Amino acid sequence: MTTVLAKIPEHLKPEIDAALSWFNTREGADFEVTGIVDPPASAGAGQDLRLVLCGSGTCRQETFRVGSSANGPQIDWLGDNQSKASSKVAELDPPPGPLRQWIDEVSGRHTFTVLLFYRGFW
């Protein structure tokens, strides 16, 4: 069974912060980590970090592997080789916290907001 945590475990924060910084620089965006899927039990094991990233009115699930090198963290984005059609973004609904924040931001900027719910996904 898939486990999704909205609170990031303390032992994974340095690796997650490095992956987020790298991804935001690459995408020219300002995403936040709002969840982690099946978090590894220990840091630095070279395991995949499946992160829920939200920003700019969208949430995405992206997978990274963070290693170390002489020049600092080595980030491998495992979603780089996947086509959007085959990615698992649609299989994961973001945790409720980011959804509420997004609705507040959007409804504050517009006269009305239309929300579309499709098979349990927003």
Side-chain angles (χ1 to χ4, degrees), residues 72-121:
Q74 173 64 40
I75 312 297
D76 292 319
W77 178 33
L78 303 179
D80 199 20
N81 295 327
Q82 296 177 354
S83 70
K84 289 296 179 189
S86 67
S87 69
K88 296 185 177 186
V89 173
E91 294 180 10
L92 179 69
D93 197 24
L99 179 60
R100 276 188 242 116
Q101 179 183 354
W102 179 82
I103 290 173
D104 291 343
E105 288 176 13
V106 171
S107 63
R109 290 187 305 219
H110 304 285
T111 306
F112 69 92
T113 304
V114 176
L115 299 176
L116 175 63
F117 291 87
Y118 175 73
R119 297 184 185 180
F121 296 103

Side-chain angles (χ1 to χ4, degrees), residues 5-45:
L5 301 178
K7 184 172 173 20
I8 304 303
E10 286 294 323
H11 67 279
L12 296 174
K13 282 191 177 182
E15 292 178 9
I16 290 173
D17 289 344
L20 177 64
S21 177
W22 179 90
F23 187 75
N24 280 335
T25 300
R26 182 189 185 284
E27 295 292 304
D30 192 26
F31 284 93
E32 297 177 36
V33 176
T34 59
I36 184 168
V37 181
D38 295 331
S42 61

Side-chain angles (χ1 to χ4, degrees), residues 60-82:
R60 300 166 56 168
Q61 178 184 323
E62 298 291 346
T63 305
F64 303 90
R65 187 170 295 135
V66 181
S68 59
S69 70
N71 297 331
Q74 173 64 40
I75 312 297
D76 292 319
W77 178 33
L78 303 179
D80 199 20
N81 295 327
Q82 296 177 354

